[in-house]
Amino acid sequence: MQYLDDVNAALQQLRQQVYDQGDYYRASTDPDLDMTDEEFRARLAPRHTDPERYDAIVEAWLERRSRPEPIDPDTLLAAQPESGTHSIIDMVNGVSAEPEFGTVSPLPPDDLISTFGTVTPSAGQVEAWMGTDSFDARDRWIGTYVISYQDGRPAHIHFCGHSGD
């Protein structure tokens, strides 16, 4: 991602770009969601056999039916909250100073020095690091960003991490 002074704006721009390109995991369509209420209930065991289970199944089905049709990164994620998108789209909470769920945060200066030997790595250094498993130091659903430099100036923002399985 080309460098922007506002990392959150860059993140949102990248989330939209990934959505527009379709470069994310899309949960398969549940054929039960195309059924009418009567059709769905007819497939279940009679309610009197286990009312609590019956009600829980119907409630979960109704909740899935109420999810929005995806039209942007946020509605896509809302449409499949259990699986996420396995992409930058899952970073819905923006940028944070420290690692937090659903955010991207900077690689700390000490880690920049131990990883790259400098706090101003080149794009090539960051891309090589991202191509290894060593960048996977954070838990899933917590992203990292590194700013790379060219001729002493910020040039790119590199986002990385893992969400999903």
Side-chain angles (χ1 to χ4, degrees):
M1 164 71 45
Q2 199 68 23
Y3 179 77
L4 296 175
D5 284 334
D6 184 342
V7 176
N8 192 55
L11 172 64
Q12 299 313 319
Q13 183 180 2
L14 182 58
R15 290 178 74 239
Q16 184 66 50
Q17 179 182 337
V18 167
Y19 176 81
D20 292 343
Q21 293 173 343
D23 192 16
Y24 52 82
Y25 169 76
R26 182 73 165 115
S28 57
T29 305
D30 182 348
D32 288 350
L33 300 180
D34 293 331
M35 294 181 185
T36 65
D37 189 70
E38 294 83 24
E39 290 170 330
F40 182 76
R41 290 172 189 263
R43 293 185 61 213
L44 301 176
R47 184 177 187 278
H48 70 274
T49 59
D50 188 347
E52 286 182 26
R53 184 168 189 268
Y54 179 93
D55 291 346
I57 291 169
V58 170
E59 184 178 324
W61 177 75
L62 290 170
E63 186 278 325
R64 289 193 322 270
R65 283 190 76 191
S66 70
R67 292 179 183 166
E69 186 63 32
I71 58 169
D72 60 28
D74 293 324
T75 55
L76 171 64
L77 193 54
Q80 53 190 56
E82 291 88 12
S83 67
T85 67
H86 302 207
S87 74
I88 195 74
I89 291 171
D90 295 339
M91 299 296 105
V92 295
N93 296 327
V95 177
S96 61
E98 298 292 326
E100 295 177 21
F101 180 84
T103 69
V104 296
S105 60
L107 195 63
D110 289 349
D111 290 346
L112 288 169
I113 291 170
S114 66
T115 302
F116 305 112
T118 179
V119 294
T120 58
S122 69
Q125 287 176 296
V126 176
E127 290 165 6
W129 172 70
M130 288 174 64
T132 69
D133 290 335
S134 61
F135 83 90
D136 193 17
R138 295 185 177 167
D139 291 336
R140 292 187 182 282
W141 298 88
I142 298 173
T144 303
Y145 73 87
V146 177
I147 297 173
S148 64
Y149 293 76
Q150 183 174 353
D151 300 324
R153 291 192 183 126
H156 295 91
I157 304 172
H158 306 263
F159 295 98
C160 59
H162 294 285
S163 64
D165 297 328

PDB file of all heavy atoms in Angstrom, residues 53-81:
ATOM      1  N   ARG A  53     -34.550 -27.006  22.229  1.00  0.00           N
ATOM      2  CA  ARG A  53     -33.682 -27.196  21.060  1.00  0.00           C
ATOM      3  C   ARG A  53     -34.361 -26.656  19.812  1.00  0.00           C
ATOM      4  O   ARG A  53     -33.732 -25.977  18.998  1.00  0.00           O
ATOM      5  CB  ARG A  53     -33.356 -28.682  20.885  1.00  0.00           C
ATOM      6  CG  ARG A  53     -32.386 -28.944  19.765  1.00  0.00           C
ATOM      7  CD  ARG A  53     -31.873 -30.382  19.812  1.00  0.00           C
ATOM      8  NE  ARG A  53     -30.794 -30.565  18.879  1.00  0.00           N
ATOM      9  CZ  ARG A  53     -30.953 -30.982  17.621  1.00  0.00           C
ATOM     10  NH1 ARG A  53     -32.155 -31.269  17.176  1.00  0.00           N
ATOM     11  NH2 ARG A  53     -29.915 -31.122  16.829  1.00  0.00           N
ATOM     12  N   TYR A  54     -35.621 -26.946  19.635  1.00  0.00           N
ATOM     13  CA  TYR A  54     -36.400 -26.466  18.484  1.00  0.00           C
ATOM     14  C   TYR A  54     -36.334 -24.935  18.420  1.00  0.00           C
ATOM     15  O   TYR A  54     -36.019 -24.355  17.385  1.00  0.00           O
ATOM     16  CB  TYR A  54     -37.844 -26.940  18.608  1.00  0.00           C
ATOM     17  CG  TYR A  54     -38.757 -26.501  17.496  1.00  0.00           C
ATOM     18  CD1 TYR A  54     -38.974 -27.310  16.391  1.00  0.00           C
ATOM     19  CD2 TYR A  54     -39.418 -25.271  17.550  1.00  0.00           C
ATOM     20  CE1 TYR A  54     -39.824 -26.917  15.368  1.00  0.00           C
ATOM     21  CE2 TYR A  54     -40.268 -24.863  16.534  1.00  0.00           C
ATOM     22  CZ  TYR A  54     -40.472 -25.694  15.440  1.00  0.00           C
ATOM     23  OH  TYR A  54     -41.315 -25.299  14.423  1.00  0.00           O
ATOM     24  N   ASP A  55     -36.613 -24.289  19.552  1.00  0.00           N
ATOM     25  CA  ASP A  55     -36.608 -22.823  19.584  1.00  0.00           C
ATOM     26  C   ASP A  55     -35.220 -22.262  19.294  1.00  0.00           C
ATOM     27  O   ASP A  55     -35.076 -21.257  18.601  1.00  0.00           O
ATOM     28  CB  ASP A  55     -37.117 -22.314  20.930  1.00  0.00           C
ATOM     29  CG  ASP A  55     -38.604 -22.578  21.141  1.00  0.00           C
ATOM     30  OD1 ASP A  55     -39.311 -22.906  20.155  1.00  0.00           O
ATOM     31  OD2 ASP A  55     -39.058 -22.461  22.297  1.00  0.00           O
ATOM     32  N   ALA A  56     -34.177 -22.906  19.802  1.00  0.00           N
ATOM     33  CA  ALA A  56     -32.802 -22.445  19.559  1.00  0.00           C
ATOM     34  C   ALA A  56     -32.448 -22.562  18.082  1.00  0.00           C
ATOM     35  O   ALA A  56     -31.813 -21.658  17.509  1.00  0.00           O
ATOM     36  CB  ALA A  56     -31.820 -23.237  20.409  1.00  0.00           C
ATOM     37  N   ILE A  57     -32.853 -23.656  17.441  1.00  0.00           N
ATOM     38  CA  ILE A  57     -32.571 -23.842  16.019  1.00  0.00           C
ATOM     39  C   ILE A  57     -33.299 -22.791  15.196  1.00  0.00           C
ATOM     40  O   ILE A  57     -32.710 -22.176  14.289  1.00  0.00           O
ATOM     41  CB  ILE A  57     -32.950 -25.271  15.569  1.00  0.00           C
ATOM     42  CG1 ILE A  57     -31.996 -26.289  16.190  1.00  0.00           C
ATOM     43  CG2 ILE A  57     -32.957 -25.382  14.040  1.00  0.00           C
ATOM     44  CD1 ILE A  57     -32.433 -27.735  16.022  1.00  0.00           C
ATOM     45  N   VAL A  58     -34.552 -22.554  15.491  1.00  0.00           N
ATOM     46  CA  VAL A  58     -35.331 -21.555  14.752  1.00  0.00           C
ATOM     47  C   VAL A  58     -34.752 -20.156  14.980  1.00  0.00           C
ATOM     48  O   VAL A  58     -34.601 -19.373  14.034  1.00  0.00           O
ATOM     49  CB  VAL A  58     -36.830 -21.617  15.134  1.00  0.00           C
ATOM     50  CG1 VAL A  58     -37.592 -20.432  14.558  1.00  0.00           C
ATOM     51  CG2 VAL A  58     -37.441 -22.933  14.656  1.00  0.00           C
ATOM     52  N   GLU A  59     -34.387 -19.858  16.217  1.00  0.00           N
ATOM     53  CA  GLU A  59     -33.817 -18.540  16.523  1.00  0.00           C
ATOM     54  C   GLU A  59     -32.511 -18.316  15.755  1.00  0.00           C
ATOM     55  O   GLU A  59     -32.275 -17.239  15.193  1.00  0.00           O
ATOM     56  CB  GLU A  59     -33.575 -18.417  18.026  1.00  0.00           C
ATOM     57  CG  GLU A  59     -33.072 -17.051  18.444  1.00  0.00           C
ATOM     58  CD  GLU A  59     -32.892 -16.953  19.949  1.00  0.00           C
ATOM     59  OE1 GLU A  59     -33.694 -17.539  20.701  1.00  0.00           O
ATOM     60  OE2 GLU A  59     -31.942 -16.271  20.363  1.00  0.00           O
ATOM     61  N   ALA A  60     -31.650 -19.323  15.727  1.00  0.00           N
ATOM     62  CA  ALA A  60     -30.385 -19.205  14.989  1.00  0.00           C
ATOM     63  C   ALA A  60     -30.652 -19.028  13.494  1.00  0.00           C
ATOM     64  O   ALA A  60     -29.976 -18.240  12.819  1.00  0.00           O
ATOM     65  CB  ALA A  60     -29.517 -20.435  15.239  1.00  0.00           C
ATOM     66  N   TRP A  61     -31.606 -19.749  12.946  1.00  0.00           N
ATOM     67  CA  TRP A  61     -31.961 -19.625  11.527  1.00  0.00           C
ATOM     68  C   TRP A  61     -32.489 -18.219  11.230  1.00  0.00           C
ATOM     69  O   TRP A  61     -32.107 -17.603  10.238  1.00  0.00           O
ATOM     70  CB  TRP A  61     -32.989 -20.699  11.160  1.00  0.00           C
ATOM     71  CG  TRP A  61     -33.488 -20.636   9.759  1.00  0.00           C
ATOM     72  CD1 TRP A  61     -32.818 -21.028   8.637  1.00  0.00           C
ATOM     73  CD2 TRP A  61     -34.765 -20.164   9.318  1.00  0.00           C
ATOM     74  NE1 TRP A  61     -33.600 -20.834   7.523  1.00  0.00           N
ATOM     75  CE2 TRP A  61     -34.808 -20.302   7.918  1.00  0.00           C
ATOM     76  CE3 TRP A  61     -35.877 -19.660   9.983  1.00  0.00           C
ATOM     77  CZ2 TRP A  61     -35.914 -19.937   7.172  1.00  0.00           C
ATOM     78  CZ3 TRP A  61     -36.984 -19.306   9.230  1.00  0.00           C
ATOM     79  CH2 TRP A  61     -36.993 -19.436   7.846  1.00  0.00           C
ATOM     80  N   LEU A  62     -33.354 -17.713  12.084  1.00  0.00           N
ATOM     81  CA  LEU A  62     -33.886 -16.361  11.888  1.00  0.00           C
ATOM     82  C   LEU A  62     -32.776 -15.311  11.962  1.00  0.00           C
ATOM     83  O   LEU A  62     -32.775 -14.341  11.187  1.00  0.00           O
ATOM     84  CB  LEU A  62     -34.978 -16.064  12.920  1.00  0.00           C
ATOM     85  CG  LEU A  62     -36.283 -16.831  12.734  1.00  0.00           C
ATOM     86  CD1 LEU A  62     -37.194 -16.642  13.944  1.00  0.00           C
ATOM     87  CD2 LEU A  62     -36.982 -16.413  11.445  1.00  0.00           C
ATOM     88  N   GLU A  63     -31.817 -15.512  12.869  1.00  0.00           N
ATOM     89  CA  GLU A  63     -30.690 -14.565  12.977  1.00  0.00           C
ATOM     90  C   GLU A  63     -29.868 -14.586  11.695  1.00  0.00           C
ATOM     91  O   GLU A  63     -29.498 -13.542  11.168  1.00  0.00           O
ATOM     92  CB  GLU A  63     -29.821 -14.923  14.194  1.00  0.00           C
ATOM     93  CG  GLU A  63     -28.709 -13.913  14.478  1.00  0.00           C
ATOM     94  CD  GLU A  63     -27.463 -14.085  13.628  1.00  0.00           C
ATOM     95  OE1 GLU A  63     -27.111 -15.241  13.304  1.00  0.00           O
ATOM     96  OE2 GLU A  63     -26.853 -13.065  13.270  1.00  0.00           O
ATOM     97  N   ARG A  64     -29.591 -15.783  11.164  1.00  0.00           N
ATOM     98  CA  ARG A  64     -28.819 -15.876   9.912  1.00  0.00           C
ATOM     99  C   ARG A  64     -29.566 -15.228   8.755  1.00  0.00           C
ATOM    100  O   ARG A  64     -28.958 -14.585   7.907  1.00  0.00           O
ATOM    101  CB  ARG A  64     -28.494 -17.340   9.597  1.00  0.00           C
ATOM    102  CG  ARG A  64     -27.459 -17.936  10.528  1.00  0.00           C
ATOM    103  CD  ARG A  64     -26.900 -19.283  10.043  1.00  0.00           C
ATOM    104  NE  ARG A  64     -27.839 -20.180   9.424  1.00  0.00           N
ATOM    105  CZ  ARG A  64     -28.554 -21.105  10.057  1.00  0.00           C
ATOM    106  NH1 ARG A  64     -28.455 -21.247  11.355  1.00  0.00           N
ATOM    107  NH2 ARG A  64     -29.379 -21.897   9.395  1.00  0.00           N
ATOM    108  N   ARG A  65     -30.876 -15.382   8.731  1.00  0.00           N
ATOM    109  CA  ARG A  65     -31.682 -14.774   7.656  1.00  0.00           C
ATOM    110  C   ARG A  65     -31.675 -13.254   7.726  1.00  0.00           C
ATOM    111  O   ARG A  65     -31.864 -12.591   6.721  1.00  0.00           O
ATOM    112  CB  ARG A  65     -33.126 -15.268   7.721  1.00  0.00           C
ATOM    113  CG  ARG A  65     -33.284 -16.673   7.183  1.00  0.00           C
ATOM    114  CD  ARG A  65     -34.715 -17.034   7.037  1.00  0.00           C
ATOM    115  NE  ARG A  65     -35.263 -16.363   5.859  1.00  0.00           N
ATOM    116  CZ  ARG A  65     -36.544 -16.309   5.569  1.00  0.00           C
ATOM    117  NH1 ARG A  65     -37.423 -16.871   6.372  1.00  0.00           N
ATOM    118  NH2 ARG A  65     -36.967 -15.713   4.494  1.00  0.00           N
ATOM    119  N   SER A  66     -31.489 -12.703   8.906  1.00  0.00           N
ATOM    120  CA  SER A  66     -31.545 -11.246   9.075  1.00  0.00           C
ATOM    121  C   SER A  66     -30.231 -10.555   8.749  1.00  0.00           C
ATOM    122  O   SER A  66     -30.171  -9.329   8.738  1.00  0.00           O
ATOM    123  CB  SER A  66     -31.959 -10.904  10.506  1.00  0.00           C
ATOM    124  OG  SER A  66     -30.912 -11.221  11.411  1.00  0.00           O
ATOM    125  N   ARG A  67     -29.192 -11.308   8.468  1.00  0.00           N
ATOM    126  CA  ARG A  67     -27.896 -10.698   8.157  1.00  0.00           C
ATOM    127  C   ARG A  67     -27.981  -9.934   6.842  1.00  0.00           C
ATOM    128  O   ARG A  67     -28.698 -10.330   5.920  1.00  0.00           O
ATOM    129  CB  ARG A  67     -26.810 -11.769   8.085  1.00  0.00           C
ATOM    130  CG  ARG A  67     -26.537 -12.386   9.435  1.00  0.00           C
ATOM    131  CD  ARG A  67     -25.482 -13.455   9.362  1.00  0.00           C
ATOM    132  NE  ARG A  67     -25.313 -14.071  10.674  1.00  0.00           N
ATOM    133  CZ  ARG A  67     -24.664 -15.203  10.868  1.00  0.00           C
ATOM    134  NH1 ARG A  67     -24.107 -15.843   9.845  1.00  0.00           N
ATOM    135  NH2 ARG A  67     -24.550 -15.690  12.081  1.00  0.00           N
ATOM    136  N   PRO A  68     -27.209  -8.856   6.736  1.00  0.00           N
ATOM    137  CA  PRO A  68     -27.287  -8.021   5.537  1.00  0.00           C
ATOM    138  C   PRO A  68     -26.696  -8.695   4.306  1.00  0.00           C
ATOM    139  O   PRO A  68     -25.829  -9.570   4.414  1.00  0.00           O
ATOM    140  CB  PRO A  68     -26.459  -6.790   5.912  1.00  0.00           C
ATOM    141  CG  PRO A  68     -25.481  -7.307   6.918  1.00  0.00           C
ATOM    142  CD  PRO A  68     -26.222  -8.371   7.695  1.00  0.00           C
ATOM    143  N   GLU A  69     -27.169  -8.274   3.157  1.00  0.00           N
ATOM    144  CA  GLU A  69     -26.556  -8.684   1.887  1.00  0.00           C
ATOM    145  C   GLU A  69     -25.299  -7.836   1.729  1.00  0.00           C
ATOM    146  O   GLU A  69     -25.359  -6.615   1.837  1.00  0.00           O
ATOM    147  CB  GLU A  69     -27.528  -8.453   0.732  1.00  0.00           C
ATOM    148  CG  GLU A  69     -27.036  -8.973  -0.597  1.00  0.00           C
ATOM    149  CD  GLU A  69     -26.846 -10.481  -0.636  1.00  0.00           C
ATOM    150  OE1 GLU A  69     -27.608 -11.203   0.050  1.00  0.00           O
ATOM    151  OE2 GLU A  69     -25.933 -10.941  -1.336  1.00  0.00           O
ATOM    152  N   PRO A  70     -24.136  -8.449   1.507  1.00  0.00           N
ATOM    153  CA  PRO A  70     -22.901  -7.679   1.440  1.00  0.00           C
ATOM    154  C   PRO A  70     -22.885  -6.657   0.291  1.00  0.00           C
ATOM    155  O   PRO A  70     -23.186  -6.993  -0.855  1.00  0.00           O
ATOM    156  CB  PRO A  70     -21.824  -8.740   1.204  1.00  0.00           C
ATOM    157  CG  PRO A  70     -22.426 -10.005   1.702  1.00  0.00           C
ATOM    158  CD  PRO A  70     -23.889  -9.888   1.426  1.00  0.00           C
ATOM    159  N   ILE A  71     -22.552  -5.423   0.657  1.00  0.00           N
ATOM    160  CA  ILE A  71     -22.385  -4.360  -0.340  1.00  0.00           C
ATOM    161  C   ILE A  71     -21.077  -3.610  -0.133  1.00  0.00           C
ATOM    162  O   ILE A  71     -20.733  -2.746  -0.929  1.00  0.00           O
ATOM    163  CB  ILE A  71     -23.567  -3.355  -0.314  1.00  0.00           C
ATOM    164  CG1 ILE A  71     -23.704  -2.727   1.067  1.00  0.00           C
ATOM    165  CG2 ILE A  71     -24.857  -4.018  -0.772  1.00  0.00           C
ATOM    166  CD1 ILE A  71     -24.659  -1.557   1.126  1.00  0.00           C
ATOM    167  N   ASP A  72     -20.354  -3.949   0.930  1.00  0.00           N
ATOM    168  CA  ASP A  72     -19.077  -3.311   1.236  1.00  0.00           C
ATOM    169  C   ASP A  72     -18.344  -4.198   2.249  1.00  0.00           C
ATOM    170  O   ASP A  72     -18.886  -5.216   2.690  1.00  0.00           O
ATOM    171  CB  ASP A  72     -19.281  -1.886   1.753  1.00  0.00           C
ATOM    172  CG  ASP A  72     -20.112  -1.807   3.022  1.00  0.00           C
ATOM    173  OD1 ASP A  72     -20.127  -2.774   3.824  1.00  0.00           O
ATOM    174  OD2 ASP A  72     -20.760  -0.767   3.230  1.00  0.00           O
ATOM    175  N   PRO A  73     -17.111  -3.830   2.625  1.00  0.00           N
ATOM    176  CA  PRO A  73     -16.369  -4.687   3.559  1.00  0.00           C
ATOM    177  C   PRO A  73     -17.087  -4.940   4.884  1.00  0.00           C
ATOM    178  O   PRO A  73     -17.072  -6.062   5.397  1.00  0.00           O
ATOM    179  CB  PRO A  73     -15.064  -3.915   3.791  1.00  0.00           C
ATOM    180  CG  PRO A  73     -14.902  -3.059   2.592  1.00  0.00           C
ATOM    181  CD  PRO A  73     -16.297  -2.697   2.155  1.00  0.00           C
ATOM    182  N   ASP A  74     -17.722  -3.929   5.444  1.00  0.00           N
ATOM    183  CA  ASP A  74     -18.353  -4.104   6.750  1.00  0.00           C
ATOM    184  C   ASP A  74     -19.590  -4.992   6.689  1.00  0.00           C
ATOM    185  O   ASP A  74     -19.801  -5.824   7.574  1.00  0.00           O
ATOM    186  CB  ASP A  74     -18.685  -2.745   7.361  1.00  0.00           C
ATOM    187  CG  ASP A  74     -17.425  -1.967   7.717  1.00  0.00           C
ATOM    188  OD1 ASP A  74     -16.448  -2.602   8.149  1.00  0.00           O
ATOM    189  OD2 ASP A  74     -17.416  -0.737   7.559  1.00  0.00           O
ATOM    190  N   THR A  75     -20.409  -4.838   5.657  1.00  0.00           N
ATOM    191  CA  THR A  75     -21.590  -5.702   5.563  1.00  0.00           C
ATOM    192  C   THR A  75     -21.194  -7.120   5.181  1.00  0.00           C
ATOM    193  O   THR A  75     -21.872  -8.070   5.559  1.00  0.00           O
ATOM    194  CB  THR A  75     -22.639  -5.142   4.580  1.00  0.00           C
ATOM    195  OG1 THR A  75     -22.026  -4.914   3.303  1.00  0.00           O
ATOM    196  CG2 THR A  75     -23.259  -3.863   5.104  1.00  0.00           C
ATOM    197  N   LEU A  76     -20.099  -7.276   4.453  1.00  0.00           N
ATOM    198  CA  LEU A  76     -19.599  -8.619   4.154  1.00  0.00           C
ATOM    199  C   LEU A  76     -19.248  -9.334   5.455  1.00  0.00           C
ATOM    200  O   LEU A  76     -19.651 -10.472   5.682  1.00  0.00           O
ATOM    201  CB  LEU A  76     -18.375  -8.560   3.244  1.00  0.00           C
ATOM    202  CG  LEU A  76     -17.634  -9.884   3.039  1.00  0.00           C
ATOM    203  CD1 LEU A  76     -18.506 -10.901   2.320  1.00  0.00           C
ATOM    204  CD2 LEU A  76     -16.333  -9.650   2.296  1.00  0.00           C
ATOM    205  N   LEU A  77     -18.522  -8.659   6.312  1.00  0.00           N
ATOM    206  CA  LEU A  77     -18.133  -9.270   7.580  1.00  0.00           C
ATOM    207  C   LEU A  77     -19.345  -9.520   8.463  1.00  0.00           C
ATOM    208  O   LEU A  77     -19.438 -10.546   9.130  1.00  0.00           O
ATOM    209  CB  LEU A  77     -17.112  -8.389   8.301  1.00  0.00           C
ATOM    210  CG  LEU A  77     -16.402  -9.026   9.474  1.00  0.00           C
ATOM    211  CD1 LEU A  77     -15.732 -10.345   9.095  1.00  0.00           C
ATOM    212  CD2 LEU A  77     -15.387  -8.071  10.044  1.00  0.00           C
ATOM    213  N   ALA A  78     -20.311  -8.611   8.444  1.00  0.00           N
ATOM    214  CA  ALA A  78     -21.540  -8.805   9.226  1.00  0.00           C
ATOM    215  C   ALA A  78     -22.342  -9.992   8.710  1.00  0.00           C
ATOM    216  O   ALA A  78     -23.052 -10.644   9.468  1.00  0.00           O
ATOM    217  CB  ALA A  78     -22.391  -7.539   9.196  1.00  0.00           C
ATOM    218  N   ALA A  79     -22.213 -10.290   7.431  1.00  0.00           N
ATOM    219  CA  ALA A  79     -22.949 -11.400   6.831  1.00  0.00           C
ATOM    220  C   ALA A  79     -22.344 -12.756   7.178  1.00  0.00           C
ATOM    221  O   ALA A  79     -23.007 -13.783   7.068  1.00  0.00           O
ATOM    222  CB  ALA A  79     -23.014 -11.235   5.315  1.00  0.00           C
ATOM    223  N   GLN A  80     -21.092 -12.769   7.603  1.00  0.00           N
ATOM    224  CA  GLN A  80     -20.439 -14.034   7.953  1.00  0.00           C
ATOM    225  C   GLN A  80     -19.548 -13.842   9.186  1.00  0.00           C
ATOM    226  O   GLN A  80     -18.337 -14.035   9.128  1.00  0.00           O
ATOM    227  CB  GLN A  80     -19.671 -14.590   6.763  1.00  0.00           C
ATOM    228  CG  GLN A  80     -18.691 -13.636   6.104  1.00  0.00           C
ATOM    229  CD  GLN A  80     -18.157 -14.181   4.798  1.00  0.00           C
ATOM    230  OE1 GLN A  80     -18.914 -14.519   3.886  1.00  0.00           O
ATOM    231  NE2 GLN A  80     -16.857 -14.291   4.698  1.00  0.00           N
ATOM    232  N   PRO A  81     -20.148 -13.508  10.313  1.00  0.00           N
ATOM    233  CA  PRO A  81     -19.359 -13.186  11.508  1.00  0.00           C
ATOM    234  C   PRO A  81     -18.588 -14.364  12.095  1.00  0.00           C
ATOM    235  O   PRO A  81     -17.557 -14.158  12.728  1.00  0.00           O
ATOM    236  CB  PRO A  81     -20.408 -12.670  12.493  1.00  0.00           C
ATOM    237  CG  PRO A  81     -21.687 -13.307  12.062  1.00  0.00           C
ATOM    238  CD  PRO A  81     -21.586 -13.404  10.565  1.00  0.00           C
TER     239      PRO A  81
END
